[in-house]
């Protein structure tokens, strides 16, 4: 383990590595702070570029963007009452109250420190937990893998909003689209209709460029998020929140545990963990009547939970090949672009990729801490950026990236169709999380189900007579 960590440190200590980490952290904080945008969208825009990048440095860059974005999301929540990312919604409830009282520095300082308190312990846990889970995963057969994927998708659907039916509709769309191309077991063509571009299916990079980047920009253009008021807010220098740490130590520890655990569960991520941590700690707080009116505990809880979930979400992605959240899908896509598949064999085949993720997360958290602590007085300028300059550039980059994937116009067509599909789904309140998770996992699920049936001695009954697969099926149901 230590030799790979040393190797990762050597890679990131190079000039290129430092530039990638510092630039990724800064971009992540900046885009995470802008309401409606996020570091995840920047990652989506960069996916086509990763084909030409060193995969190790590409993963490090993406980790820096991810960490920066998760930390920057609270800036908009606290200064404007508008969450920069979905994970920062709960931070708004108390953080913005401080700003209205003329004290934005206290909650902002807490969010800066929560970066270190949440991410670093989470990564340490991931380093050991992922190894143990991967060792177990190597011993599992197709029956257990199919059951695990079923459970992951069931969790996503179950928490897909007010209507589980709409979650199933998103899954149905993904299953239909993922069937286009080559059968994963027999290698026969299906639903290609004689069109050459259909034989390789619809590339996940093109799908994500349309479904997330292009769609989000169009939706935000319609909404016209207002950030001009940020220039009127005065923010002083960072202050180490020593008293707040001492007074909220139980809150910090419990929120971290909640965040790490929920982050481990596929498809839930920061938005869920932040709300659960907020609600749990509010119920046991001595000053619960102040929560929602400017209690610093109401900032600690969602921020620590969100950061703690970063390490938790990495565990199933690395050990089992099942993404903990949509951001982990991006990391899996970078690996796939270079012919590497996430899962139990990853620890043995490409330990350099695994440990670069851990090491990059450590270093990125330090970079982000320094950037936010030093640049805190500039936060109002961060979020007052005129959006009309950003929107056209992002749209152009999205479609240029779609072309770059296969160097043909078919990719642009896929991105446009995915964008339209995303707009339709949003119009009918069909969540995109079940769709993209199913689209990523559908082929693997089908392959394991069919291989399990082929290798079974009791037909389909083997899925419920094997203890591990039965447990996962019951959990999913």
């Amino acid at each position: 383990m230590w030799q790979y960590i040393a190797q990762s440190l050597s890679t990131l200590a190079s000039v290129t590595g430092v530039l990638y980490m510092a630039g990724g952290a800064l971009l992540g904080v900046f885009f995470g702070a802008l309401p409606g945008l996020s570091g995840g969208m920047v990652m989506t825009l960069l996916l086509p570029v990763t084909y030409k990048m060193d995969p190790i440095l590409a993963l490090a860059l993406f980790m820096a963007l991810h960490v920066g974005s998760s930390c920057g999301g609270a800036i908009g929540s606290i200064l404007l009452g508008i969450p920069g990312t979905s994970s920062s919604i709960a931070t708004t409830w108390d953080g913005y109250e401080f700003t209205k009282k003329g004290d934005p520095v206290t909650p902002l300082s807490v969010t800066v420190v929560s970066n270190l308190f949440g991410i670093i312990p989470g990564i340490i846990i991931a380093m050991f937990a992922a190894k143990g889970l991967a060792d177990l995963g190597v011993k599992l057969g197709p029956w257990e893998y199919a059951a695990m994927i079923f459970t992951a998708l069931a969790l996503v659907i179950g928490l897909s909003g007010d209507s589980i039916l709409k979650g199933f509709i998103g899954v149905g769309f993904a299953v239909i689209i993922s069937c286009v191309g080559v059968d994963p077991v027999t290698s026969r063509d299906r639903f290609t209709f004689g069109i050459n571009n259909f034989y390789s299916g619809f590339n996940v990079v093109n799908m994500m460029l349309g479904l997330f980047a292009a769609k989000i920009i169009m939706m935000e253009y319609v909404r016209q998020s207002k950030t001009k008021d940020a220039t009127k807010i005065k923010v002083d220098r960072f202050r180490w929140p020593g008293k707040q740490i001492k007074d909220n130590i139980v809150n910090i520890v419990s929120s971290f545990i909640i965040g790490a655990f929920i982050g481990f569960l596929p498809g839930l991520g920061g938005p869920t963990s932040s709300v659960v941590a907020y609600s749990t700690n509010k119920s046991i707080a001595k000053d619960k009547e102040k929560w929602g009116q400017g209690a610093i505990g109401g900032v600690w809880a969602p921020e620590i939970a969100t950061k703690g979930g970063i390490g938790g979400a990495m565990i199933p992605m690395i050990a089992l090949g099942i993404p903990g959240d949509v951001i982990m899908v991006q990391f899996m896509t970078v690996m796939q672009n270079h012919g590497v598949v996430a899962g139990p064999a990853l620890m043995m085949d490409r330990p350099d990729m695994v440990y670069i993720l851990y090491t990059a997360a450590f270093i990125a958290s330090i970079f982000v801490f320094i950037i936010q602590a030093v640049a805190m007085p500039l936060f109002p300028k961060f979020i007052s950026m005129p959006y009309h300059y950003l929107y056209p550039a992002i749209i152009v980059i999205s479609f240029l990236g779609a072309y770059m994937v296969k160097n043909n116009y078919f990719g642009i067509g896929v991105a446009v169709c995915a964008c339209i599909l995303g707009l339709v789904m949003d119009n009918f309140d069909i969540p995109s999380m079940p769709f993209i998770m199913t689209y990523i996992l559908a082929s693997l699920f089908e392959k394991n189900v069919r291989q399990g049936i082929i290798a079974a001695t009791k037909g389909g009954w083997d899925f419920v007579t094997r203890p591990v697969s039965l447990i996962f099926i019951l959990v999913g149901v």
Side-chain angles (χ1 to χ4, degrees):
M1 177 176 73
W2 297 110
Q3 69 183 83
Y4 294 114
I5 293 176
Q7 181 181 333
S8 299
L9 286 171
S10 176
T11 300
L12 297 178
S14 66
V15 174
T16 305
V18 171
L19 288 175
Y20 276 27
M21 295 299 297
L26 182 59
L27 273 177
V29 171
F30 175 69
F31 277 91
L34 294 175
L37 306 181
S38 68
M41 190 188 69
V42 180
M43 292 164 68
T44 303
L45 293 173
L46 290 176
L47 279 174
V49 182
T50 61
Y51 282 100
K52 304 294 184 182
M53 291 176 65
D54 180 322
I56 300 298
L57 289 174
L59 289 172
L61 172 62
F62 272 42
M63 183 56 73
L65 284 165
H66 179 31
V67 171
S69 176
S70 67
C71 298
I75 297 174
S77 297
I78 292 169
L79 296 185
L80 293 174
I82 305 173
T85 62
S86 57
S87 301
S88 302
I89 292 173
T91 306
T92 305
W93 301 336
D94 282 278
Y96 186 50
E97 295 300 316
F98 279 90
T99 299
K100 289 195 290 187
K101 296 173 184 177
D103 181 23
V105 173
T106 297
L108 285 173
S109 297
V110 164
T111 64
V112 171
V113 174
S114 67
N115 160 31
L116 299 177
F117 288 2
I119 294 174
I120 291 179
I123 296 302
I124 293 173
I125 291 173
M127 288 174 66
F128 294 97
K131 179 67 168 65
L133 192 59
D135 291 341
L136 174 64
V138 173
K139 302 174 184 177
L140 302 179
W143 307 275
E144 289 81 12
Y145 265 102
M148 282 193 295
I149 296 171
F150 168 76
T151 303
L153 296 178
L155 283 169
V156 176
I157 294 171
L159 290 163
S160 59
D162 297 330
S163 174
I164 291 180
L165 175 61
K166 291 180 179 179
F168 273 111
I169 292 173
V171 168
F173 283 154
V175 169
I176 293 170
I177 296 172
S178 67
C179 284
V180 176
V182 176
D183 186 303
V185 176
T186 65
S187 297
R188 293 179 178 176
D189 302 336
R190 59 186 184 187
F191 304 113
T192 57
F193 308 107
I195 301 173
N196 290 335
N197 285 316
F198 280 18
Y199 287 117
S200 56
F202 302 125
N203 190 283
V204 66
V205 175
N206 291 328
M207 293 293 294
M208 294 181 74
L209 282 169
L211 191 63
F212 292 105
K215 184 207 76 174
I216 288 172
I217 291 303
M218 291 188 177
M219 294 293 290
E220 289 304 315
Y221 179 77
V222 172
R223 293 180 185 137
Q224 288 292 316
S225 297
K226 303 296 183 182
T227 59
K228 292 182 180 179
D229 291 342
T231 56
K232 303 175 183 177
I233 301 170
K234 301 300 179 184
V235 177
D236 293 328
R237 293 180 180 179
F238 166 77
R239 295 196 299 263
W240 180 261
K243 183 178 184 301
Q244 288 84 358
I245 294 172
K246 182 179 178 181
D247 294 344
N248 289 273
I249 192 69
V250 174
N251 183 341
I252 292 170
V253 174
S254 62
S255 297
F256 171 76
I257 294 171
I258 291 170
F261 176 72
I262 292 180
F264 172 78
L265 300 176
L268 304 190
T272 303
S273 64
S274 62
V275 173
V276 172
Y278 184 95
S279 302
T280 302
N281 283 283
K282 179 181 179 180
S283 66
I284 62 175
K286 295 179 181 179
D287 59 344
K288 65 181 68 178
E289 68 282 351
K290 295 182 180 179
W291 284 52
Q293 300 176 21
I296 199 62
V299 179
W300 276 116
E303 286 300 302
I304 290 288
T306 300
K307 311 307 188 297
I310 291 177
M314 289 170 64
I315 297 172
M317 185 271 286
I318 291 172
L320 302 173
I322 298 175
D325 54 28
V326 171
I327 296 297
M328 290 300 114
V329 172
Q330 314 249 28
F331 287 97
M332 291 176 65
T333 305
V334 173
M335 295 180 191
Q336 290 173 6
N337 289 349
H338 292 274
V340 179
V341 179
L346 182 63
M347 296 288 291
M348 294 182 292
D349 297 340
R350 293 302 302 267
D352 55 334
M353 282 192 168
V354 175
Y355 285 96
I356 197 70
L357 290 174
Y358 300 146
T359 310
F362 272 110
I363 295 176
S365 66
I366 295 170
F367 269 114
V368 170
F369 174 80
I370 294 171
I371 289 169
Q372 289 192 303
V374 172
M376 187 175 288
L378 301 177
F379 283 177
K381 294 186 182 297
F382 268 38
I383 56 178
S384 60
M385 167 69 69
Y387 279 29
H388 58 274
Y389 292 129
L390 292 174
Y391 289 158
I394 293 174
I395 289 291
V396 170
I397 293 171
S398 296
F399 293 123
L400 181 61
Y403 177 84
M404 289 170 59
V405 171
K406 291 287 181 68
N407 289 322
N408 63 27
Y409 292 104
F410 178 72
I412 296 178
V414 172
V416 170
C417 291
C419 178
I420 295 171
L421 175 63
L423 292 171
V424 171
M425 289 171 62
D426 272 15
N427 185 60
F428 289 98
D429 295 323
I430 299 172
S432 58
M433 173 75 84
F435 175 88
I436 196 64
M437 290 285 282
T438 304
Y439 189 74
I440 289 290
L441 296 173
S443 178
L444 184 62
F445 180 65
E446 178 188 1
K447 181 179 178 180
N448 280 289
V449 168
R450 292 172 64 180
Q451 286 181 344
I453 293 173
I454 292 170
T457 56
K458 303 174 184 177
W461 286 106
D462 279 32
F463 287 95
V464 294
T465 56
R466 297 174 70 92
V468 175
S469 65
L470 176 61
I471 291 171
F472 277 113
I473 290 171
L474 291 175
V475 170
V477 171

